[in-house]
């Protein structure tokens, strides 16, 4: 998703400093224990990229991770003691998103169901850190370095969405042309494709590719997201050149949901889609 506008004062809420400090403590304790990020991640059921992002303060350390890490790393309750502050900071973290985006971000965070069709670039919720940084670095008019890093951190923080329990029901339809565009260069592109494979193999996720070769297409407009916040009716969200629109009208949502169903029916099956991505990586 595209982002626009400068941050408002509400974004400077102090959460970044806390997450950075906790991440540094975690790194020192892990290294003292003689564990690599991969080894430690395997013990706490996190990937090495996630551990790296947490240690650098660009991803929020979840309370359950801090509980496990405290025991595994012999921290002597050092990490457990900061859990109340981390929970408070997590509650504030939603305001880190630009003001125009916050209503949607709040709904996304509590969604029990999310279905997205994207057309121009990989959805922010699915992006790697390097891909996200490339997107913001290439933005025009240009953003300053501090803003880029803040935007990347905020985008990565949204990916805690996949760590909720019970897990939300998700499906993602991606245009094949998105997968073929090497944003950030070959290495970043390959990393993003591997990220899509990882997420697409989750039990609660179905990832499908819309093949370019189709001569008919039910939606040549912009992409959109359908989601159901907990205890609420389904809504839709879309952007045009950075201008957001949250759709709550039942009839408009119904039309988009029907359109999504048609797109999903024309896209490659999930297993075919993952095979296509593997072939693009040279793994087939």
């Amino acid at each position: 998703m595209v982002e626009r506008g400068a941050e408002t004062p509400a974004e400077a809420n102090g959460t970044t400093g806390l997450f950075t400090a906790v991440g540094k403590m975690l790194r020192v304790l892990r290294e003292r224990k003689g564990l690599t990020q991969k080894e430690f991640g395997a013990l706490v059921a996190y990937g090495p990229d996630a551990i790296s992002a947490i240690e650098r303060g660009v991803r929020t350390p979840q309370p359950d991770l801090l509980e496990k890490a405290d025991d595994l790393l012999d921290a002597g309750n050092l990490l457990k003691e900061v859990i109340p502050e981390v929970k408070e900071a997590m509650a504030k973290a939603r305001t880190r998103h630009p003001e125009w985006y916050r209503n949607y971000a709040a709904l996304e965070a509590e969604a029990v169901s999310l279905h997205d069709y994207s057309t121009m670039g990989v959805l922010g919720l699915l992006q790697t850190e390097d891909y996200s940084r490339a997107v913001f670095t290439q933005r025009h008019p240009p953003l300053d370095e501090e803003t880029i890093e803040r935007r990347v951190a905020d985008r990565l923080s949204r990916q805690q969405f996949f760590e909720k329990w019970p897990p939300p029901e998700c499906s993602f339809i991606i245009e094949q042309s998105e997968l073929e565009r090497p944003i950030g260069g070959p290495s970043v592109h390959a990393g993003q494709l591997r990220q899509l494979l990882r997420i697409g193999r989750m039990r609660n996720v179905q990832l499908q590719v819309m093949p370019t070769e189709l001569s008919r297409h039910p939606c040549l407009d912009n992409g959109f997201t359908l989601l159901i916040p907990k205890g609420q009716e389904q809504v839709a969200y879309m952007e045009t050149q950075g201008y957001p629109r949250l759709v709550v009208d039942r009839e408009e949502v119904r039309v988009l949901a029907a359109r999504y169903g048609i797109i999903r029916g024309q896209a490659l099956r999930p297993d075919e889609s993952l095979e296509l991505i593997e072939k693009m990586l040279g793994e087939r």
Side-chain angles (χ1 to χ4, degrees), residues 24 49 60 113 121 126 151 174 182-183 185 214 237 265 277-278:
K24 287 180 177 179
D49 290 344
T60 307
S113 172
L126 307 178
R151 294 283 179 89
I174 303 174
I183 298 294
L214 290 181
Y237 176 83
I277 297 173
E278 288 173 344

Side-chain angles (χ1 to χ4, degrees), residues 113-135:
S113 172
L114 185 149
H115 307 282
D116 181 83
Y117 166 58
S118 58
T119 60
M120 297 301 296
V122 174
L123 180 70
L125 199 60
L126 307 178
Q127 291 178 7
T128 64
E129 180 179 347
D130 289 338
Y131 185 99
S132 180
R133 183 171 290 106
V135 169

Side-chain angles (χ1 to χ4, degrees), residues 107-113 160-168 204:
L107 292 174
E108 180 186 84
E110 61 183 34
V112 297
S113 172
Q160 294 170 91
F161 174 83
F162 293 109
E163 299 165 10
K164 297 192 301 180
W165 190 264
N204 62 311

